[in-house]
Every structure is written in structure tokens, then in C-alpha cells.
Amino acid sequence: MPYVIKRLLHMVFVLWAVATIVFLMFRLMPGDPTAAFIDPTFTLEQQQAIRAQFGLDLPLPQQYLVYLGNLLRGEFGLSFRQRQPVLGLVLEVLPNTLLLTMTSLIIAYIFGTLLGALMAWKRGGVFEAISVPLVLTTRAAPEFWLGMVMLAIFAFGLGWLPSGGANSAGANYASEWHRVFSLDYLSHLALPALTLAIYLQGLPALLMRSSMLEVMREEFVTMARMKGLSERSIMLRHAARNALLPLVTAFALGFGQSVGGNVVVENVFSWPGLGRLLADAIANSDYPLAQCAFLLIAFVLVLMNFLADLAYGLLDPRVAHERGA
């Protein structure tokens, strides 16, 4: 329990630090966020009234105190451009980002785990010699480059899948549930999800390979062979099963990192998610909207790190004992 409390306090501190950095970062950026509302014919008093409307006329320390007070009350302000509560705008696109993240992670971890297990089991063979460089290449390739390759092949070349957006123009659905599970929505989801999955599968593949190599040196694997069990049974029921522990925590960490790393992919495929909303907010100097999006991404990332830490302690009692949990 003391360890859990310590981790919770650490999480609060990290979120405060992120909130402070985000506040300073946007206010030190060049450009005037009120430029979109100020007409050249406006008088100085009218320009000052617009800045006062958004609290930008206050000294920076006072703006910071107001900002922290609003965060504690759950108030994230109004969008400079859309004149709507930013929390509502963020929550509107958050399901698209979460669905994209979960779909790509599930594909990446299923494929990556199987690939990593096979690379370890067939160590020193042709399969490993081909697979390891391929995995490293996809892991190192920039996400926007992978996205453009996928677009060139499956959208513009073969014409199998849509090139962007979440729904076809003019598509109408009875409810949000029907829209998300429609064939049209899923076809738009396919390319960005596959692009992310190709990029993300490198981590579980290499992690599973490393974990499997360690497990294969354990005595229980030797005992299983001495009992006459088949190689397939040893790999699936004994070696792979015990090598999965690091991937459980890696999945939780990967979820948080993917939510924050979707910005590039969402912009390449015009996917209406949190990453694209954040990019648009930064381009338009919409401080409240960008701050809310950044803080939500930071919260998800910190929360998933916290859950991954707890999960590892629960799955491996030795870790919990060492930490005094």
C-alpha cells in the first residue's frame, strides 16, 4: 500500500509538471491567438476587450494561477476559434483515437508476440535472419513514411481502401453505435490502424524474442523435453506462456504512448482524432484546446504507466515484495 500511495503522489506531481510546461510553452510561442478575431478596423479598446475576454490581458503569473484553479475545478476554458467548451470538443474525437489505438495495438501485439516466439524458437535459422532485420526496419521507419507507403499501395494504387477520414461523404447513420460498427467506418479505420500496427509490432516481437530466449534456458523446458513432449507443446504451453509477463506491462505502456503518438498517423490519414485536433489547435494558436488535448494525452500516458507498474507487481510477486507493496 505505501508503494501505491507513493506512485499516486508521483503521478500527481508529473501531471502538475506537464500542466505547467504546457502553460508556458503555448504562451511563449510566437503569434497572437486573438488575431483571428481582430479586424484591422478595430480600435485599441476593442482589441483589449477581446484579449480581456480570454484572460490574456492579465500578467503571466496571474494567468497561471487562474489556469491551475480552473484545472482543479475541471474547467478547461473555451476554444478561441470555435467558442465552445474545449473539453466537449476533445471528448467528441477521443473515441476515434481510442478505437484506432486499441485496434492497432491488438493487431501489433498478437502478430508481434507470435513472430517473437518463432524467432526465438528458430534461433540461428533462416527465419530469424530474415525476420529480425525486417522488424528493426519497420520499427525504425518514420510513421508518416509508412503511412504514405500504405496510401500509395492500398488507396491510390489498388484502390481497395479509402485514403482518409472516418466516413464517406454523405453517409448517414441511425446512431453513433451504428456508425462506428459500419463497414464504411471500419474500411476507413483499416489503413491508419495497419500503419500503426506495423510500426508498433517491433516492440512486442523483440521483447518476446528476448524473453523466450531466457525462458528456453530454464530447467523446466529441459524437463519437458526429457518427458518426451512435442516441440510445439513445449513452445506454446511452457516456454511462450512463461515469456508473456513482460508483454503484459509493455501493452499498457504501449497504449499510453500510442495515444500520444497518433498525431502523425491521424494527420496523414485525416483521421478525426485527438492527434489531428491537437495539430489544428497548435496551428491556429488555440491555447485552451491544445492545452486540454495535451493534458488528456499526458493523463492517459501517466495512468497507463501507473497501471503497468501495478500489473507487473501483481503478476510477479517477487517484484511486489521488493517494493514493499
Side-chain angles (χ1 to χ4, degrees):
M1 188 58 67
Y3 174 75
V4 175
I5 296 174
K6 181 180 178 181
R7 291 296 300 168
L8 283 172
L9 292 175
H10 180 261
M11 187 169 70
V12 171
F13 173 77
V14 170
L15 289 174
W16 168 78
V18 170
T20 302
I21 293 171
V22 167
F23 172 84
L24 295 173
M25 179 176 65
F26 284 112
R27 279 155 183 79
L28 295 176
M29 287 174 60
D32 185 358
T34 62
F37 308 106
I38 296 178
D39 189 273
T41 60
F42 283 7
T43 63
L44 182 61
E45 290 76 13
Q46 289 174 318
Q47 295 179 25
Q48 291 175 344
I50 291 176
R51 293 183 61 82
Q53 180 182 351
F54 295 108
L56 298 175
D57 61 325
L58 300 174
L60 197 61
Q62 192 172 347
Q63 288 187 43
Y64 178 66
L65 293 177
V66 172
Y67 165 75
L68 289 182
N70 289 338
L71 289 183
L72 292 175
R73 292 192 298 270
E75 298 176 5
F76 295 88
L78 297 175
S79 167
F80 286 169
R81 294 183 63 82
Q82 303 186 46
R83 306 291 183 95
Q84 298 179 37
V86 296
L87 185 59
L89 295 173
V90 169
L91 294 179
E92 183 180 344
V93 300
L94 182 60
N96 289 329
T97 291
L98 294 179
L99 186 57
L100 172 61
T101 300
M102 284 303 301
T103 304
S104 58
L105 276 175
I106 290 172
I107 296 172
Y109 272 75
I110 290 176
F111 178 78
T113 300
L114 293 174
L115 179 60
L118 286 173
M119 286 193 297
W121 202 255
K122 298 182 179 295
R123 187 181 185 186
V126 177
F127 182 81
E128 186 194 35
I130 296 174
S131 299
V132 172
L134 185 61
V135 167
L136 292 173
T137 300
T138 56
R139 183 65 181 167
E143 291 174 89
F144 73 89
W145 180 83
L146 286 175
M148 290 189 293
V149 170
M150 297 291 280
L151 281 173
I153 296 173
F154 296 105
F156 305 132
L158 300 173
W160 290 353
L161 295 168
S163 60
N167 290 104
S168 300
N172 294 313
Y173 301 96
S175 65
E176 184 67 13
W177 180 267
H178 288 86
R179 183 185 75 87
V180 169
F181 288 95
S182 67
L183 184 60
D184 180 57
Y185 183 89
L186 296 176
S187 66
H188 283 77
L189 175 66
L191 276 183
L194 287 174
T195 299
L196 271 177
I198 291 172
Y199 176 76
L200 295 172
Q201 57 82 34
L203 177 60
L206 295 174
L207 193 59
M208 185 63 177
R209 175 180 176 272
S210 176
S211 184
M212 275 280 288
L213 290 175
E214 290 183 13
V215 170
M216 286 165 58
R217 291 193 289 265
E218 298 291 337
E219 293 181 357
F220 68 86
V221 174
T222 305
M223 288 294 296
R225 285 198 173 99
M226 292 174 64
K227 290 179 180 179
L229 298 179
S230 66
E231 289 296 307
R232 181 178 178 182
S233 176
I234 295 172
M235 184 184 77
L236 296 178
R237 297 180 59 186
H238 297 275
R241 193 173 181 179
N242 286 275
L244 285 173
L245 178 60
L247 271 77
V248 175
T249 52
F251 184 89
L253 294 174
F255 182 87
Q257 292 168 354
S258 296
V259 170
N262 286 353
V263 177
V264 174
V265 171
E266 288 185 4
N267 278 276
V268 169
F269 292 97
S270 300
W271 184 256
L274 190 59
R276 191 179 180 204
L277 182 73
L278 175 59
D280 291 342
I282 294 174
N284 295 309
S285 299
D286 196 339
Y287 295 164
L289 185 55
Q291 285 171 173
C292 185
F294 258 121
L295 288 175
L296 182 58
I297 290 172
F299 174 75
V300 172
L301 182 58
V302 172
L303 177 63
M304 296 312 293
N305 272 271
F306 173 72
L307 294 178
D309 222 8
L310 293 184
Y312 201 87
L314 291 173
L315 292 170
D316 191 343
R318 295 171 300 178
V319 176
H321 178 73
E322 290 173 2
R323 292 168 173 172

